[in-house]
Amino acid sequence: MTHQISRRTLLHRATQLGALGAAGAYWLPSLAQEIATNQQRKRQCIVLWMTGGPSQLDTFDPKPGHANGGEFSAMETSVPGVQICEHLPKIAQLAKHLAVVRSLSTKEGDHERGAHLVRTGQILGGPLQYPDVGALLSKQLGEETSELPNYVSIGSPVEIAPSAFGPGFLGPLYAPATVSVLNAAGESAAAGGNAAGENNNPAFVELGLDFLRPPGGLDNPSFRRRMEIWNRLQTGFLENRPSDNAVAQNTAYQKAIRLMRSKASSAFSLSEEPTKVRESYGRGRFGQGCLLARRLIEREVPFVEVALGAFGGEDPGWDTHLNNFPAVERLCGQLDSGWSQLMIDLESRGLLETTTILWIGEFGRTPGINDNAGRDHFPGAWSCAFAGGGIQGGQVYGKTSEDGMEVVDGKLDVGRILATLCVALGVDPASENHTPIGRPIALVDAEPVAELLRGV
């Protein structure tokens, strides 16, 4: 039987919950289970990870007319009454797809601890290594027999918080396939350089999985001999030590080897795209990452993450303690081109309705501007945004004070954001995984936000 849940029904149940009090609190888990059993709701996910923590006031929660508002103006979007930063004009025209959350409030203002909390829903510390959101959701949505990886991470800054970017106790079978920049010229373009390309434009960043391009190619005799030796050693090891972790690692390696030799690996060949298409996304790492995400979604990869900001060297990402405004203007330009074109292309292909997008970083930034024209870490009141499948777009949820210092309406923690993402994807947040010692752990121990969800 197919279950259809309309927004009217959803809000009616929410009203009932308020009227019934604690006795009605069981409706949200029931709703999640009902949606999760509806096969039409099985979706794909893209997380746009904003490395370093983006300023909410300079993106999705502008404060025009207040001293904390800074140098940028607010602009109207295609949704009446909803304003965002002037440097996101293309996204502003697609606001009907967006559900902007302006009322996130957390307590972790350190990069590692903040990233760990947002990505796992757990506070950093203790002996148990928790899976990140990509591992959790790709396990729920993916197929072990698929040729392509179920979880692809494009440019994610693992060095910030290694424990926040990986499969944790789920094991290596659920680790992401990591995509990196393959060309030095493109790396310069990604960092805002001007390496010459066609028509004197900056060169396109070229992205790919390193293991798909072994030195000398797949037919290199040396490579074939190394693979034969590895297979013999691996077979002997598994015969003597057939542990779950060893089997999972072997499965992951064998899948990578199959992908090397498969036509499916062409998904990573951005050169197949017309130049005009590549241009429309932006030539840098994030824009080309969004294009790659579209190609992977077309090929039914369940979870893709694209990071904006390298957080290292000359590129601090969104960690704008110094000279916030020129840095954010540059980052917004990349975000605007990449994210907008991604939604346009997904919609034109009929895929936006089955793809849920979450834009988020590890925390926000201070409303007050420091002596270095920058904004510092601020987890007390910040923003994220949803779009696409399962999401009721064209709205703003929550509110911060006029100075941006505190949440005054609709305060949410990270758990509720992750639970909302799960339900939008047709996944029950209460679904459990088991640790190596058999302890059951729910995906997310929190309730979704009903107002952000849309029935199908």
Side-chain angles (χ1 to χ4, degrees):
M1 177 178 178
T2 300
H3 298 278
Q4 301 286 334
I5 300 177
S6 68
R7 176 167 169 79
R8 177 176 296 177
T9 300
L10 197 65
L11 294 177
H12 176 65
R13 292 186 185 181
T15 303
Q16 288 180 322
L17 178 62
L20 294 175
Y26 293 100
W27 84 271
L28 275 169
S30 299
L31 169 66
Q33 185 176 12
E34 187 174 352
I35 292 177
T37 57
N38 176 6
Q39 290 305 305
Q40 291 184 347
R41 288 297 301 249
K42 197 165 188 179
R43 300 180 182 275
Q44 295 164 273
C45 182
I46 298 173
V47 167
L48 303 178
W49 179 255
M50 301 295 105
T51 305
S55 165
Q56 66 281 4
L57 278 74
D58 302 317
T59 51
F60 290 105
D61 190 11
K63 300 294 180 182
H66 194 281
N68 289 347
E71 298 179 7
F72 302 154
S73 298
M75 72 176 303
E76 296 292 336
T77 69
S78 58
V79 176
V82 175
Q83 294 184 329
I84 62 175
C85 173
E86 64 174 318
H87 296 301
L88 299 172
K90 296 176 182 177
I91 292 174
Q93 293 306 308
L94 300 171
K96 67 179 182 179
H97 299 302
L98 297 181
V100 175
V101 177
R102 291 177 173 169
S103 53
L104 256 173
S105 183
T106 56
K107 296 182 180 179
E108 299 291 358
D110 169 79
H111 287 294
E112 181 178 12
R113 297 185 66 86
H116 190 276
L117 175 63
V118 172
R119 298 180 62 84
T120 69
Q122 305 288 336
I123 296 173
L124 179 63
L128 187 60
Q129 296 293 311
Y130 288 96
D132 74 359
V133 62
L136 290 171
L137 290 174
S138 63
K139 181 176 185 290
Q140 294 288 319
L141 299 171
E143 301 290 342
E144 291 187 13
T145 57
S146 63
E147 286 189 303
L148 287 167
N150 287 316
Y151 175 10
V152 178
S153 177
I154 303 171
S156 295
V158 179
E159 64 277 6
I160 294 178
S163 65
F165 292 85
F169 65 75
L170 293 181
L173 183 60
Y174 301 99
T178 56
V179 172
S180 57
V181 175
L182 300 178
N183 59 325
E187 182 71 16
S188 175
N194 193 34
E198 56 186 275
N199 300 322
N200 292 318
N201 289 319
F204 285 117
V205 160
E206 297 299 339
L207 302 172
L209 298 171
D210 290 335
F211 68 78
L212 292 180
R213 305 185 182 191
L218 295 176
D219 295 327
N220 185 321
S222 176
F223 175 73
R224 292 204 304 270
R225 286 195 298 272
R226 290 199 301 272
M227 291 304 305
E228 290 170 0
I229 293 171
W230 178 83
N231 273 316
R232 288 199 299 270
L233 292 172
Q234 192 76 346
T235 299
F237 184 87
L238 290 171
E239 288 175 351
N240 295 319
R241 299 174 179 83
S243 67
D244 289 344
N245 278 342
V247 171
Q249 183 192 46
N250 183 68
T251 302
Y253 271 73
Q254 293 291 355
K255 187 172 181 178
I257 292 166
R258 289 198 303 272
L259 178 58
M260 271 191 233
R261 297 167 174 159
S262 167
K263 291 182 179 179
S265 63
S266 66
F268 296 90
S269 300
L270 297 182
S271 59
E272 294 180 357
E273 295 283 342
T275 298
K276 286 186 177 179
V277 172
R278 298 190 72 177
E279 287 276 11
S280 67
Y281 280 84
R283 290 175 171 260
R285 184 189 300 111
F286 180 75
Q288 295 301 291
C290 287
L291 174 56
L292 177 54
R294 191 213 78 200
R295 290 172 62 86
L296 294 171
I297 292 296
E298 287 174 327
R299 291 159 175 82
E300 300 184 338
V301 172
F303 190 96
V304 184
E305 177 176 65
V306 187
L308 175 52
F311 200 83
E314 297 180 358
D315 182 5
W318 296 89
D319 195 32
T320 53
H321 295 279
L322 304 172
N323 299 319
N324 172 81
F325 298 101
V328 170
E329 182 175 352
R330 174 179 59 83
L331 290 161
C332 281
Q334 296 176 52
L335 177 66
D336 196 46
S337 294
W339 187 4
S340 64
Q341 195 61 45
L342 175 62
M343 288 195 288
I344 289 169
D345 279 1
L346 288 177
E347 185 177 30
S348 70
R349 289 161 169 78
L351 293 171
L352 189 58
E353 278 296 299
T354 57
T355 305
T356 307
I357 300 171
L358 173 61
W359 177 90
I360 198 167
E362 55 261 46
F363 40 63
R365 306 206 77 79
T366 52
I369 302 166
N370 65 29
D371 292 339
N372 296 308
R375 298 192 191 268
D376 301 317
H377 301 180
F378 190 71
W382 52 293
S383 302
C384 69
F386 289 95
I391 296 300
Q392 183 62 45
Q395 66 164 317
V396 170
Y397 181 92
K399 183 179 180 181
T400 54
S401 56
E402 290 185 6
D403 60 3
M405 289 297 296
E406 61 181 337
V407 175
V408 296
D409 183 49
K411 182 182 288 189
L412 298 176
D413 60 20
V414 165
R416 299 200 65 191
I417 295 298
L418 295 179
T420 301
L421 179 63
C422 286
V423 174
L425 290 163
V427 172
D428 185 352
S431 300
E432 294 179 341
N433 292 304
H434 289 81
T435 69
I437 62 172
R439 175 186 168 192
I441 304 288
L443 300 186
V444 186
D445 185 15
E447 297 176 348
V449 183
E451 293 89 338
L452 296 174
L453 294 165
R454 174 169 52 85
V456 294

